[in-house]
């Protein structure tokens, strides 16, 4: 599943930051210690050509990264590219491989730091401890390595910008040292020094072979440009420029290495290089610096530059490795704890901490062991490069219309070259006897890492189920214009929201004044958000509604014009226990109305119960029906009023086989603030024979009088209150996002939703006041009004089969389904879902489902379908029934939904 969210990272990297992070990662320390070895292998010109050839190979790979990174600027880089192209398994392999490469470099640099200090100060080594693979480990050596590891870890936890500032300073020092060497060699060098060391080899074949040997080593030195896509989510730069900086970093690194090799060979003769390697410090580049400036002090200056290179590589790969781990964690491919961001610094501190811990432990193994680990990591990086190159080609075929701010020309040729070259490097690591072949110890590290990955893969897949391998993409202003417009509209919309939460009067009749005011507010907000208003619509809601505390006592006087004999329909006991029934019955009797009682209405009222009540109404000569109770009771009363004036099977009327526009007059008195049935002309009834739960719809069952008294609801149990309140929330929510929505229903829904969000949690917590009950009651009635015109959508369409099958509480079923449904449908109208998200404290449409879950937790309705007794085996029937019973509601949903989609949503909600 692919979804979108707002980024949790701070965008702190500018153009210079990303350039120095990538360039600093690539130039490191090797240019100080290995230039002599490169020249020995290929000669000065040969080594330069080897680096150019290696740079060309990497540049083709870099071109694939340059296209993919701006197209998918999410944290994790390779993780996202390979996921979109190859799915979760391919993504796991690719990202797991690149993490080995990053972590191996971080651990190696922890050993390189004290080693460089040893070059500077030979007496630095003190306190011999033990020997590993021929390498002596001293206490002073370990202390420096561990202290520096802690420091680098701290810098990275403190924030990406802090790490970038450190990177900038140190990269400038490295660049300055390199430029000094190059300039000094041009002044002090001599072309004669190139004689005898321009190339190595007795014939053309051997010369070319030695150039290739150098080229095969270079991928390790160019690893680092790929840190840019790892941190793409934190880059505050136009997307196309990210691609250009990535490619520029590769070109600069190639130029740097080539010029350093030239400088060393131009200023040192073959004899001087040999002497430096055999009897000197072994730091040929440092000796070249001393020779160029004719002072040993400059050798120290260059070594300090190399020391800075250790830190820049260390820092860059810490950034890259932690972001790669974060991306796997948020996809549940490794434990999600590694996806935690620091609350203040917005860095993946757990992932950084683990890599930091490994860099503290690595020096205990000694430098030789770390060289083996790095070689294994080099192979892993090449594997990841090859998979990214393959992903580049796949996505050109699979997603040709994907926005690509930087689009590579001749993609087939570029893709072929990138795959061939990265694949060739992988093969060379595997062929025994090749210049890059791994030794058995290095293969042991590779095997151990693969085994650990297999364990994570299967354990996490078993533990996290469908969450394993999910990808939540980050919405980007530049790629998603709707998202950008929504963000720009958010501030202006928010300004109007305060007015919409103005409290209503204690006793009121909902009329034209309130509707007009609310319409004005919503029209302004919608226009600001660039959301088109409906051009043609109709609004008809002929309900005579009286609202206010104490209005229950007016029942008799309000009902008197409708008839003289009333059948009071209620539930088994609740209205009687609370005394509400007695108040209503006494008021009716006092007004001269004869009453009878039908108290068999139940939750999810049955068609058979309706038919029984209708027979009693007919036989008793009743001329009006009074529905007293929650939504189920009122729906039952509506059905009885309808069938008391009509013949035949009620199911024929429900499914449209028959029609009628007559019913007994209805007085509806809600005792729960949820269904809003008192304000619309339909009744939801369940057929016990087949479990169908569907609405009887007829204008005749619109109440002639509705009496909404908040005081009649104040005895509800907290669990029931939460369930019915969430039903009211869904009515307003769904009506607002429905295809049939129009300005009047939008206005009323937006008027009611803040009342529910504000008052319901307090009422459930037991801290609400009469004002909260008034707000909640009014909002529930408005919910009934708006669904009478705009209708309901997928959440209700999927819930009706659930409560029809298992007789669960309707509000609980809605709570189990709503977040999952919104997750799948917000793309249908991001402006409206974004506005609803902001009402709940979010920001954009992507936040909406999460905010609904948070609201459910506040009112104690954090439930799943599994909690309600639904199992996997029920899904086929539920899906079939939803498609059969609620096609209109499904069609009223703004996102196109089919049977397979509904089945999958039921599955996700279990």
């Amino acid at each position: 599943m692919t979804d979108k969210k707002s980024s949790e990272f701070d965008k702190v990297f500018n153009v210079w930051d990303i350039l120095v992070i990538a360039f600093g990662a690539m130039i490191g320390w090797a240019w100080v210690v290995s230039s002599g070895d490169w020249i020995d292998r290929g000669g000065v010109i040969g080594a330069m050509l080897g680096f150019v050839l290696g740079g060309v190979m990497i540049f083709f790979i870099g071109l694939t990264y340059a296209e993919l990174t701006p197209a998918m600027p999410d944290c994790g880089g390779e993780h996202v590219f390979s996921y979109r192209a190859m799915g979760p398994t391919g993504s796991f392999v690719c990202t797991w491989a690149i993490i080995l490469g990053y972590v191996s470099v971080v651990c190696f640099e922890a050993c390189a730091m004290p080693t460089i200090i040893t070059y500077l100060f030979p007496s630095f080594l003190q306190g011999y401890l033990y020997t590993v693979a021929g390498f002596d480990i001293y206490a002073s050596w370990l202390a420096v390595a561990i202290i520096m590891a802690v420091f680098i870890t701290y810098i990275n936890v403190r924030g990406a910008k802090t790490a970038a500032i450190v990177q900038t300073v140190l990269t400038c020092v490295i660049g300055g040292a390199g430029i000094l060497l190059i300039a000094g060699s041009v002044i002090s060098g001599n072309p004669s020094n190139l004689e005898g060391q321009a190339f190595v080899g007795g014939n053309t074949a051997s010369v070319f072979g030695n150039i290739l040997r150098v080229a095969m080593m270079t991928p390790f030195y160019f690893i680092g440009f790929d840190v840019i896509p790892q941190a793409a989510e934190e880059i505050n730069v136009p997307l196309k420029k990210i691609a250009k900086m990535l490619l520029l970093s590769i070109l600069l690194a190639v130029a740097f290495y080539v010029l350093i090799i030239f400088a060393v060979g131009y200023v040192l003769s073959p004899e001087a290089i040999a002497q430096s390697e055999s009897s000197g410090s072994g730091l040929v580049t440092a000796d070249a610096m001393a020779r160029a400036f004719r002072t040993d002090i400059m050798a120290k200056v260059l070594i300090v530059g190399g020391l800075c290179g250790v830190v820049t590589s260390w820092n860059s790969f810490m950034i890259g490795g932690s972001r790669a781990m974060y991306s796997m964690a948020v996809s549940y491919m490794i434990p999600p704890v590694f996806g935690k961001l620091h609350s203040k610094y917005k860095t993946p501190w757990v992932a950084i901490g683990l890599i930091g811990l490994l860099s503290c432990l690595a020096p205990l193994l000694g430098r030789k062991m770390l060289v083996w680990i790095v070689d294994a990591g080099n192979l892993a990086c090449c594997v990841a490069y090859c998979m990214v190159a393959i992903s580049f080609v796949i996505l050109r075929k699979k997603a040709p219309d994907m926005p690509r701010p930087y689009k590579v020309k001749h993609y087939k040729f570029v893709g072929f070259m990138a795959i061939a070259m990265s694949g060739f490097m992988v093969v060379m690591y595997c062929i025994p006897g090749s210049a890059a072949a791994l030794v058995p110890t290095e293969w042991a590290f590779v095997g151990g890492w693969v085994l650990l990955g297999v364990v994570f893969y299967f354990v996490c897949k078993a533990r996290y189920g469908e969450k394993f391998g999910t990808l939540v993409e980050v919405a980007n202003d530049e790629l998603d214009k709707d998202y950008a417009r929504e963000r720009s509209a958010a501030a202006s919309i928010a300004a109007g929201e305060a007015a919409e939460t103005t409290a209503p009067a204690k006793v009121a009749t909902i009329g034209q004044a309130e509707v007009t005011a609310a319409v004005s507010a919503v029209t302004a907000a919608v226009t600001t958000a660039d959301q088109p208003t409906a051009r043609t619509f109709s609004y008809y809601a002929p309900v005579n509604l009286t609202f206010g505390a104490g209005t229950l006592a007016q029942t008799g006087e309000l009902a008197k014009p409708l008839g003289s004999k009333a059948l009071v329909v209620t539930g088994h006991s609740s209205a009687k226990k609370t005394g509400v029934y007695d108040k209503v019955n006494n008021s009716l009797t006092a007004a001269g109305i004869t009453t009878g009682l039908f108290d068999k209405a139940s939750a999810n009222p049955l068609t058979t119960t309706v038919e029984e009540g209708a027979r009693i109404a007919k036989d008793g000569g009743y001329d009006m029906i009074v529905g007293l109770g929650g939504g189920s009771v009122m729906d039952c009363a509506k059905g009885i009023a309808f069938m008391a004036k009509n013949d035949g099977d009620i199911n024929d009327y429900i499914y449209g086989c028959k029609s009628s526009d007559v019913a007994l007059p209805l007085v509806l008195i809600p005792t729960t603030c949820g269904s809003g049935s008192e304000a619309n002309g339909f009744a939801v009834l369940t057929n016990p024979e087949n479990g169908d739960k569907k609405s009887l719809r007829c204008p005749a069952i619109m109440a002639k009088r509705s009496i909404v008294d908040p005081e009649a609801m104040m005895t509800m149990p907290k669990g029931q209150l939460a369930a019915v309140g969430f039903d009211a929330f869904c009515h307003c929510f769904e009506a607002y996002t429905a295809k049939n929505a129009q300005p009047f229903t939008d206005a009323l829904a937006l008027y009611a939703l803040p009342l529910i969000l504000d008052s319901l949690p307090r009422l459930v917590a037991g801290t609400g006041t009469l004002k909260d009950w008034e707000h909640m009651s009014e909002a529930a009635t408005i919910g009934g009004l708006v669904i009478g015109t705009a209708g309901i959508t997928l959440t209700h369409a999927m819930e009706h089969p659930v409560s029809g099958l298992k007789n669960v509480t309707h509000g609980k079923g809605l709570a189990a389904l709503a977040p999952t449904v919104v997750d799948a449908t917000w793309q249908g109208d991001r402006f409206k879902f974004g506005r609803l998200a902001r009402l709940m404290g979010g920001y954009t449409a992507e936040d909406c489902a999460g905010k609904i879950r948070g609201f459910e937790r506040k009112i104690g309705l954090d439930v799943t379908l599994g909690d309600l007794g639904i199992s996997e085996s029920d899904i086929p029937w539920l899906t079939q029934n939803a498609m059969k019973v609620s096609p209109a509601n499904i069609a009223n949903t703004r996102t196109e939904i089919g049977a397979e989609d509904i089945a999958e949503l039921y599955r996700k909600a279990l």
Side-chain angles (χ1 to χ4, degrees):
M1 175 183 175
T2 302
D3 217 334
K4 286 195 175 183
K5 66 173 182 179
S6 298
S7 177
E8 296 179 315
F9 287 95
D10 290 333
K11 287 187 174 292
V12 295
F13 292 143
N14 57 33
V15 171
W16 179 256
D17 291 333
I18 61 176
L19 182 61
V20 297
I21 286 171
F23 180 65
M26 287 187 275
I27 57 178
W29 162 248
W31 62 281
V32 177
V33 298
S34 300
S35 60
D37 178 61
W38 300 334
I39 292 172
D40 286 343
R41 285 173 180 259
V44 176
I45 305 302
M48 292 170 67
L49 291 174
F51 267 85
V52 170
L53 180 59
V56 170
M57 291 192 292
I58 290 295
F59 191 78
F60 276 107
I61 296 168
L63 281 171
T64 67
Y65 275 84
E67 176 171 298
L68 296 174
T69 301
M72 293 168 277
D74 295 0
C75 179
E78 290 91 344
H79 171 71
V80 183
F81 309 157
S82 54
Y83 182 97
R84 291 284 297 273
M86 304 176 184
T89 299
S91 177
F92 187 99
V93 173
C94 182
T95 316
W96 190 244
I98 203 72
I99 290 174
L100 173 58
Y102 291 154
V103 172
S104 68
V105 174
V106 169
C107 293
F108 178 80
E109 302 297 9
C111 294
M113 175 62 68
T115 303
I116 296 172
I117 294 176
T118 304
Y119 284 131
L120 288 170
F121 308 104
S123 61
F124 160 73
L125 294 177
Q126 300 292 327
Y128 170 78
L129 297 175
Y130 54 89
T131 299
V132 177
F135 184 83
D136 294 336
I137 296 177
Y138 291 82
S140 57
W141 189 88
L142 273 182
V144 168
I146 294 172
I147 290 170
M148 197 65 196
V150 171
F151 174 73
I152 295 293
T153 303
Y154 171 74
I155 288 296
N156 274 269
V157 170
R158 282 277 304 187
K161 190 63 179 178
T162 303
I165 292 170
V166 172
Q167 189 81 355
T168 297
V169 173
L170 297 180
T171 302
C172 288
V173 174
I174 301 167
I179 291 169
L180 282 174
L181 170 62
I182 295 163
S185 70
V186 170
I187 296 170
S188 304
N190 192 315
S192 64
N193 288 329
L194 298 177
E195 294 178 6
Q197 64 174 358
F199 295 98
V200 173
N203 53 52
T204 302
S206 62
V207 167
F208 180 76
N210 289 322
I211 292 173
L212 188 60
R213 287 180 65 203
V214 174
M216 286 305 302
M217 297 188 305
T218 58
F220 173 71
Y221 304 117
F222 292 130
I223 292 172
F225 69 89
D226 44 300
V227 173
I228 291 177
Q230 293 295 343
E233 209 170 308
E234 299 163 84
I235 298 175
N236 190 24
V237 173
L239 296 177
K240 191 172 183 178
K241 189 169 285 188
I242 295 176
K244 293 179 177 179
M245 290 301 102
L246 188 151
L247 296 175
L248 178 60
S249 70
I250 296 174
L251 294 175
L252 288 176
V254 172
F256 184 85
Y257 280 118
V258 168
L259 290 173
I260 291 297
I261 294 169
F262 172 79
V264 172
Y266 196 66
V267 80
L268 293 179
S269 65
E271 294 77 14
I273 292 176
Q275 183 180 2
S276 176
E277 290 181 319
S278 61
S279 59
S281 65
L283 301 181
V284 175
T285 313
D287 289 341
M289 185 77 153
R291 177 72 62 88
F293 288 92
R294 296 180 175 83
T295 172
D296 290 340
I297 294 175
M298 293 306 292
K300 303 286 188 182
V301 170
L302 187 128
I303 292 173
V304 169
L307 192 69
C308 293
V310 170
V311 179
T312 58
S313 292
W314 195 341
N315 188 51
S316 293
F317 289 111
M318 176 75 82
I319 293 172
S322 60
R323 272 57 176 183
M325 289 186 67
Y326 168 87
S327 69
M328 292 190 78
V330 296
S331 290
Y332 294 90
M333 292 178 173
I334 60 176
V337 66
F338 295 109
K340 284 188 175 182
L341 293 184
H342 195 284
S343 58
K344 180 178 180 181
Y345 303 122
K346 301 300 181 183
T347 52
W349 65 275
V350 179
I352 291 171
L354 177 62
I355 298 174
L357 176 62
L358 293 175
S359 65
C360 289
L361 297 175
L364 298 172
L365 300 177
R367 193 165 183 271
K368 183 65 175 177
M369 190 73 70
L370 268 295
V371 171
W372 291 333
I373 293 176
V374 167
D375 287 343
N378 203 16
L379 167 62
C381 283
C382 291
V383 169
Y385 288 165
C386 189
M387 294 187 72
V388 169
I390 294 170
S391 298
F392 166 81
V393 175
I394 291 174
L395 288 172
R396 276 297 187 100
K397 296 287 188 181
K398 186 177 179 180
D401 299 325
M402 180 173 67
R404 291 172 169 86
Y406 185 91
K407 195 167 186 177
V408 173
K409 295 179 181 179
H410 312 296
Y411 85 91
K412 291 182 180 178
F413 174 72
V414 170
F416 171 78
M417 293 297 291
I419 294 169
M421 290 179 172
S422 56
F424 176 71
M425 289 187 284
V426 172
V427 170
M428 291 298 287
Y429 280 111
C430 299
I431 297 177
S434 73
L438 300 187
V439 301
T441 308
E442 293 164 347
W443 278 116
F445 282 117
V446 172
W449 188 255
V450 170
L451 180 61
L452 182 60
V454 169
V455 170
F456 272 129
Y457 181 90
F458 286 105
V459 169
C460 291
K461 195 168 188 178
R463 181 170 183 180
Y464 301 114
E466 290 186 357
K467 290 183 179 180
F468 178 88
T470 53
L471 177 65
V472 182
E473 294 180 30
V474 174
N476 181 278
D477 287 3
E478 195 172 335
L479 294 176
D480 190 340
K481 300 303 180 184
D482 282 345
Y483 176 78
R485 298 209 319 267
E486 184 190 347
R487 282 166 57 92
S488 66
S492 54
I493 290 177
E497 288 176 351
E500 296 167 22
T501 58
T502 304
K506 181 177 180 182
V507 178
T509 298
I510 296 177
Q512 187 62 37
E514 280 185 317
V515 171
T516 302
V519 167
S520 299
V522 75
T523 301
V526 167
T527 302
T528 304
D530 198 23
Q531 168 73 4
T533 56
R535 294 182 181 275
T536 302
F537 64 90
S538 60
Y539 184 84
Y540 180 70
V543 58
N544 193 335
L545 188 146
T546 300
F547 177 93
T551 52
L552 203 66
Q554 302 175 30
T555 302
E557 292 301 317
L558 293 172
K560 191 172 183 179
L562 303 178
S564 59
K565 191 173 184 181
L567 179 64
V568 180
V569 178
T570 187
H572 297 300
S573 61
S574 60
K576 301 172 192 172
K577 288 181 179 178
T578 59
V580 171
Y581 168 75
D582 289 336
K583 289 181 181 179
V584 169
N585 192 56
N586 291 341
S587 179
L588 290 168
T589 303
I593 299 172
T594 303
T595 64
L597 176 64
F598 182 77
D599 59 357
K600 297 183 180 181
S602 62
N604 302 308
L606 303 177
T607 54
T608 50
T609 305
V610 165
E611 289 170 342
E612 180 184 352
R615 286 194 297 272
I616 292 173
K618 287 179 181 179
D619 295 343
Y622 293 97
D623 55 11
M624 79 169 84
I625 303 295
V626 176
L628 176 63
S632 295
V633 170
M634 289 187 286
D635 284 357
C636 186
K638 288 178 178 181
I640 291 171
F642 182 83
M643 291 308 296
K645 295 288 287 183
N646 294 284
D647 297 322
D649 187 343
I650 190 172
N651 292 293
D652 290 337
Y653 295 98
I654 290 174
Y655 279 98
C657 300
K658 291 183 178 180
S659 63
S660 172
D661 58 358
V662 295
L664 288 177
L666 271 162
V667 177
L668 296 179
I669 305 170
T671 60
T672 63
C673 43
S675 76
S677 187
E678 70 274 10
N680 56 48
F682 55 83
V684 181
L685 305 171
T686 300
N687 184 339
E689 293 181 5
N690 56 19
D692 286 359
K693 185 175 179 180
K694 190 170 174 63
S695 296
L696 170 68
R697 293 176 178 267
C698 176
I701 59 173
M702 179 76 78
K704 300 299 182 184
R705 286 284 184 181
S706 285
I707 302 167
V708 183
D709 186 342
E711 290 182 339
M713 308 178 193
M714 296 173 68
T715 58
M716 271 189 293
K718 298 299 185 288
Q720 183 187 14
L721 172 60
V724 299
F726 192 78
D727 187 20
F729 170 83
C730 287
H731 288 164
C732 297
F733 195 107
E734 292 178 54
Y736 181 63
T737 57
K739 284 184 180 178
N740 291 333
Q742 38 100 324
F744 279 77
T745 57
D746 282 357
L748 289 168
L750 289 175
Y751 180 85
L753 279 165
L755 302 182
I756 298 171
L757 293 168
D758 187 49
S759 293
L760 184 57
R762 283 200 294 268
L763 292 175
V764 171
T767 60
T769 64
L770 177 59
K771 183 67 69 178
D772 290 308
W773 285 106
E774 290 174 345
H775 286 179
M776 194 61 228
S777 302
E778 184 177 359
T781 299
I782 290 173
L785 279 171
V786 294
I787 64 172
T789 301
I792 48 180
T793 59
L794 185 59
T795 304
H796 267 76
M798 289 180 63
E799 197 290 322
H800 284 163
V802 171
S803 49
L805 178 66
K806 297 291 185 179
N807 198 30
V808 302
T809 302
H810 177 53
K812 288 184 178 180
L814 292 172
L817 287 163
T820 302
V821 170
V822 170
D823 256 338
T825 58
W826 64 261
Q827 295 91 339
D829 192 331
R830 70 171 306 123
F831 292 100
K832 283 196 168 185
F833 280 97
R835 182 160 175 76
L836 293 171
R838 288 188 288 278
L839 284 178
M840 294 181 282
Y843 191 63
T844 63
E846 292 88 339
D847 302 329
C848 200
K851 291 301 177 181
I852 292 175
R853 288 189 181 94
F855 179 58
E856 290 176 351
R857 285 192 290 270
K858 278 186 180 180
I859 60 175
L861 277 186
D862 190 10
V863 296
T864 66
L865 289 182
D867 297 332
L868 302 179
I870 300 296
S871 64
E872 178 83 23
S873 61
D874 295 320
I875 290 177
W877 184 89
L878 294 173
T879 303
Q880 181 183 19
N881 193 256
M883 298 296 293
K884 168 190 171 184
V885 171
S886 303
N889 299 332
I890 295 170
N892 199 25
T893 306
R894 289 188 179 269
T895 302
E896 294 298 323
I897 296 291
E900 290 183 3
D901 302 312
I902 289 174
E904 181 61 22
L905 291 176
Y906 276 128
R907 206 166 282 114
K908 290 180 183 297
L910 283 175

